[in-house]
């Protein structure tokens, strides 16, 4: 089980704490404000009130013993940058920091962040893709070129087998699962028959998916 140090308990940090709690992760939460710290106590293993820009305070937390350190500070970028730098200086294994702009992301990556969370940009991209077509129900980005889309079954595919439509050969797209009545089946074979009462999860390059589904 991963142990996580979560710094910054505003709305974003609190949501992270709640989701980590659902995954039964061990979480140490930190914030300057007592009220925010108290708010997340039901969702975390432990919580501390303190200034994460103070390297002595961070060191007292045993930073190097956590598997992941998440800097979720949102409104004070200087504090986020200093905290990120301090974590790396103290030997943190993996530092993930929140950014609000491209410039912030660059500075964080140059000053100790191993990865950057960009919630506003990522949500904007998800919303744009999700609502650009009424055929798209969900979207998971895998890298800069590939994603998994949950799509409705095109009319022309209704009643046809996966092998018949052959999108793997034509577009290098794979149908990885079928969702029907809220349940997902990953047992997809060339003989699997598609129907309009289900949705399909397809994996491929953005351009190929756009071309195949006329997005």
């Amino acid at each position: 089980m991963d142990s996580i140090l979560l710094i910054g308990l505003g709305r974003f940090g609190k949501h992270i704490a709640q989701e980590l709690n659902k995954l039964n992760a061990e979480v140490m939460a930190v914030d300057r404000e007592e009220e925010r710290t108290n708010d997340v106590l039901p969702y975390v293993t432990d919580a501390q009130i303190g200034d994460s820009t103070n390297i002595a305070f961070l060191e007292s937390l045993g930073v190097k013993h956590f598997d992941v350190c998440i800097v979720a500070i949102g409104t004070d970028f200087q504090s986020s940058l200093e905290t990120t730098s301090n974590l790396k200086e103290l030997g943190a294994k993996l530092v993930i920091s929140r950014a609000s702009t491209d410039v912030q992301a660059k500075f964080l990556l140059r000053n100790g962040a191993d990865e950057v969370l960009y919630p506003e940009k990522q949500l904007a991209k998800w919303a744009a893709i999700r609502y650009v077509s009424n055929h798209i129900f969900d979207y998971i980005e895998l890298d800069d070129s590939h994603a998994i889309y949950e799509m409705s079954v095109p009319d022309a595919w209704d009643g046809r087998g996966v092998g018949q439509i052959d999108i793997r050969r034509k577009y290098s797209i794979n149908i990885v699962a079928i969702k029907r009545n809220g349940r997902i089946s990953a047992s997809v074979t060339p003989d699997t028959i598609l129907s309009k009462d289900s949705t399909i999860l397809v994996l491929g390059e953005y351009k190929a998916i756009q071309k195949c589904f006329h997005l």
Side-chain angles (χ1 to χ4, degrees), residues 83-103:
T83 299
T84 298
S85 180
N86 288 342
L87 286 169
K88 212 59 182 178
E89 184 177 334
L90 291 170
K93 298 174 186 176
L94 177 62
V95 180
I96 302 172
S97 301
R98 176 185 180 177
S100 298
T101 67
D102 291 335
V103 172

Side-chain angles (χ1 to χ4, degrees), residues 48-112:
Q48 294 282 339
I49 303 168
D51 181 1
S52 59
T53 65
N54 184 320
I55 197 164
F57 169 70
L58 280 184
E59 189 172 19
S60 72
L61 299 176
V63 165
K64 65 178 64 176
H65 299 298
F66 290 94
D67 296 303
V68 183
C69 296
I70 301 175
V71 182
I73 299 170
T75 56
D76 186 348
F77 179 65
Q78 183 62 35
S79 293
S80 177
L81 190 62
E82 289 182 30
T83 299
T84 298
S85 180
N86 288 342
L87 286 169
K88 212 59 182 178
E89 184 177 334
L90 291 170
K93 298 174 186 176
L94 177 62
V95 180
I96 302 172
S97 301
R98 176 185 180 177
S100 298
T101 67
D102 291 335
V103 172
Q104 288 185 2
K106 290 178 182 178
F107 273 105
L108 289 166
L109 290 168
R110 289 174 183 171
N111 287 272

Side-chain angles (χ1 to χ4, degrees), residues 99-131:
S100 298
T101 67
D102 291 335
V103 172
Q104 288 185 2
K106 290 178 182 178
F107 273 105
L108 289 166
L109 290 168
R110 289 174 183 171
N111 287 272
D114 296 294
E115 298 179 24
V116 170
L117 292 173
Y118 204 152
E120 292 86 357
K121 185 175 182 178
Q122 290 161 344
L123 180 58
K125 185 174 183 179
W126 180 90
I129 292 173
R130 166 64 179 84
Y131 295 109

Side-chain angles (χ1 to χ4, degrees), residues 6-189:
L6 174 60
I7 300 174
L9 303 174
R11 285 179 296 178
F12 182 60
K14 185 176 180 180
H15 282 307
I16 292 177
Q18 291 171 330
E19 294 303 316
L20 289 172
N21 179 60
K22 295 175 185 177
L23 299 171
N24 298 314
E26 295 181 1
V27 180
M28 164 72 79
V30 174
D31 198 278
R32 290 178 179 177
E33 297 185 19
E34 182 177 1
E35 183 177 355
R36 289 181 174 181
T37 306
N38 290 336
D39 282 346
V40 302
L41 280 174
Y43 314 110
V44 300
T45 309
D46 197 3
Q48 294 282 339
I49 303 168
D51 181 1
S52 59
T53 65
N54 184 320
I55 197 164
F57 169 70
L58 280 184
E59 189 172 19
S60 72
L61 299 176
V63 165
K64 65 178 64 176
H65 299 298
F66 290 94
D67 296 303
V68 183
C69 296
I70 301 175
V71 182
I73 299 170
T75 56
D76 186 348
F77 179 65
Q78 183 62 35
S79 293
S80 177
L81 190 62
E82 289 182 30
T83 299
T84 298
S85 180
N86 288 342
L87 286 169
K88 212 59 182 178
E89 184 177 334
L90 291 170
K93 298 174 186 176
L94 177 62
V95 180
I96 302 172
S97 301
R98 176 185 180 177
S100 298
T101 67
D102 291 335
V103 172
Q104 288 185 2
K106 290 178 182 178
F107 273 105
L108 289 166
L109 290 168
R110 289 174 183 171
N111 287 272
D114 296 294
E115 298 179 24
V116 170
L117 292 173
Y118 204 152
E120 292 86 357
K121 185 175 182 178
Q122 290 161 344
L123 180 58
K125 185 174 183 179
W126 180 90
I129 292 173
R130 166 64 179 84
Y131 295 109
V132 72
S133 168
N134 56 11
H135 300 298
I136 301 173
F137 295 92
D138 206 350
Y139 154 83
I140 302 171
E141 182 177 287
L142 301 179
D143 60 24
D144 291 338
S145 302
H146 296 78
I148 295 175
Y149 286 76
E150 181 184 349
M151 314 280 296
S152 60
V153 174
D155 292 338
W157 296 3
D158 188 25
R160 301 180 66 189
V162 171
Q164 286 179 283
I165 62 173
D166 201 15
I167 61 171
R168 184 173 184 178
R169 181 182 62 81
K170 295 176 182 176
Y171 300 99
S172 297
I173 295 172
N174 291 302
I175 299 177
V176 296
I178 293 176
K179 185 175 180 181
R180 182 179 288 112
N181 298 324
R183 304 184 69 175
I184 294 177
S185 171
S187 300
V188 180
T189 71

